[in-house]
Amino acid sequence: MERSEPPEFEVAIERAISAPEAFGASFDEAPARGELELGAGLEGDPAIAFRRTLGMFATGVTVLTARVSEQVHGMTANAFMSVSLTPPLVLVSIDRRAKMGAFLHEGTRFGVSVLEARQTGLSDRFAGRIAEDVPEPTFEVVRETPLVEGALAHLVARVVRSYWGGDHSLFLGQVEFARYGEGRPLLFHGGRYERLIEDPPVFSLLPEELLEPILALGEPREYVDGQVIMRAGERGAELLLVVAGSVRVERPGRSVKLGPGELIGEIEVLDPGGGRIADITAEGAVRCLAVTRASLLGALEADPRAAIALIEVLAARFRETA
Ligand code: FAD
């Protein structure tokens, strides 16, 4: 049989094929009540300590959606997990007090919209929290199932099993539709929203009057379709501004497209010893402006305000990650 799965999944697939079919059988009876022992230093309400312990597991954030008559019902959920590749299965855990649980039964479909980093307002909204200045959510219907527009990834699943999950109910869904776009996910950790900080913008956060004189020192560069602009690991000390066309930035597990006005090599130009962290390739004809490290240092010497602004930007970044 021909396989297209990445090699790290191969062992898991072999085991899944030989696994027993009788899944579900052990869920018929609720497990006996047991005592929850808390580790040293976790005095106080055990329920709170347990919740906080679980909160150490960082997750993404989804909005689950279901069609109810001609209306849409949505609910924020981070208790979502992938279960199986073949067949494609996912699992969601829903509080028994939530309305959403009443809309899901074996055979019904639900949508899963994986929220993008900027969609905290939508998450609050679908969690029943006050979310100010959030535009009305809009939905796209796929397989008669509403999905939140603008999300990073979408799935439509049909409930194939539901299980007792204490004060929650577990719904196993067979996935019928899946797609994802480009962007960064919204994260949830320790009861707070978080986000990934990758390729932190540095120069693009400088005020325009300080950034423009630096970019004005750039030399024009042109690239043809498919030409490699930078390679991961390579030493590089140039800041590139994309002027026309688009480039593809690729690193393991992630690929993004950058267009006019966006900067490349913001960290490397300040830290040339570290090497490039991604492969960057031209998509079609591309024009850039390249500011060498020497030109940059000259510009900072000429106008220390830009140097001070850079230190402030870097300090703010440090605070975000500390
Ligand atoms: P409601 O509370 O009635 O609805 C939820 C909110 O969505 C309401 O404000 C409603 O006005 C709004 N809404 C619904 N449909 C629409 C629509 N069509 N257009 C506009 N607004 C709409 N609970 C779980 O059970 N499991 C989880 O995994 C989980 N994870 C969570 C993760 C996070 C980050 C947060 C913040 C909350 C989480 N919750 C989870 C809590 C859950 O989101 C709330 O308890 C939610 O209010 C339950 O929704 P409900 O189905 O009872 O409906």
Side-chain angles (χ1 to χ4, degrees):
M1 194 174 72
E2 208 179 296
R3 289 242 175 85
S4 58
E5 290 83 5
E8 67 265 31
F9 291 126
E10 276 176 16
V11 175
I13 289 166
E14 291 292 353
R15 285 199 192 127
I17 289 164
S18 59
E21 283 292 298
F23 69 105
S26 63
F27 291 90
D28 290 341
E29 280 182 30
R33 266 174 188 262
E35 207 173 295
L36 171 66
E37 182 189 342
L38 298 177
L42 293 185
E43 285 83 26
D45 185 340
I48 293 175
F50 179 48
R51 208 182 164 113
R52 288 194 178 144
T53 307
L54 296 177
M56 291 301 106
F57 183 60
T59 65
V61 181
T62 72
V63 173
L64 306 178
T65 38
R67 209 176 70 162
V68 184
S69 306
E70 287 315 302
Q71 308 257 302
V72 176
H73 181 75
M75 177 196 127
T76 302
N78 68 334
F80 161 81
M81 65 181 278
S82 57
V83 174
S84 158
L85 293 174
T86 320
L89 297 172
V90 294
L91 186 86
V92 293
S93 172
I94 297 180
D95 193 315
R96 287 215 245 162
R97 293 163 304 178
K99 283 183 207 146
M100 177 58 91
F103 304 136
L104 300 184
H105 308 281
E106 290 189 13
T108 57
R109 290 191 179 112
F110 62 96
V112 181
S113 301
V114 178
L115 295 186
E116 200 263 343
R118 286 163 296 186
Q119 293 179 312
T120 49
L122 274 181
S123 171
D124 283 343
R125 165 93 194 232
F126 284 107
R129 296 174 173 180
I130 295 164
E132 280 162 12
D133 301 329
V134 181
E136 270 301 302
T138 49
F139 303 96
E140 179 194 347
V141 176
V142 173
R143 293 194 170 225
E144 297 162 356
T145 310
L147 295 166
V148 178
E149 278 187 334
L152 185 57
H154 287 127
L155 299 149
V156 172
R158 189 185 283 276
V159 178
V160 289
R161 296 276 196 287
S162 56
Y163 305 111
W164 178 88
D167 54 18
H168 280 55
S169 303
L170 309 178
F171 296 92
L172 185 71
Q174 172 137 6
V175 179
E176 297 181 344
F177 171 83
R179 72 153 168 245
Y180 69 94
E182 287 181 354
R184 292 175 194 183
L186 176 61
L187 302 181
F188 195 63
H189 175 244
R192 290 194 343 201
Y193 296 121
E194 301 280 0
R195 64 195 169 92
L196 291 174
I197 301 183
E198 282 183 85
D199 306 334
V202 178
F203 288 90
S204 31
L205 294 180
L206 290 183
E208 217 174 301
E209 74 269 18
L210 298 179
L211 180 60
E212 263 180 14
I214 296 175
L215 297 178
L217 300 170
E219 297 155 14
R221 294 271 166 82
E222 293 194 358
Y223 301 92
V224 294
D225 186 30
Q227 190 173 350
V228 175
I229 301 176
M230 292 173 189
R231 254 186 224 293
E234 215 171 66
R235 296 269 162 119
E238 279 182 346
L239 176 68
L240 255 76
L241 169 72
V242 182
V243 177
S246 58
V247 301
R248 169 89 22 208
V249 181
E250 272 174 305
R251 65 175 65 170
R254 188 155 166 256
S255 166
V256 281
K257 190 174 174 168
L258 299 182
E262 293 188 274
L263 291 166
I264 306 167
E266 295 191 72
I267 298 293
E268 292 94 327
V269 75
L270 293 172
D271 177 26
R276 301 284 186 194
I277 50 175
D279 289 324
I280 302 182
T281 317
E283 285 195 337
V286 173
R287 277 194 297 119
C288 291
L289 279 180
V291 182
T292 63
R293 181 173 159 83
S295 305
L296 171 70
L297 296 181
L300 297 182
E301 240 174 71
D303 187 352
R305 286 181 312 153
I308 294 166
L310 268 180
I311 293 170
E312 284 170 358
V313 167
L314 292 169
R317 288 268 152 248
F318 180 73
R319 195 190 289 276
E320 273 181 47
T321 51

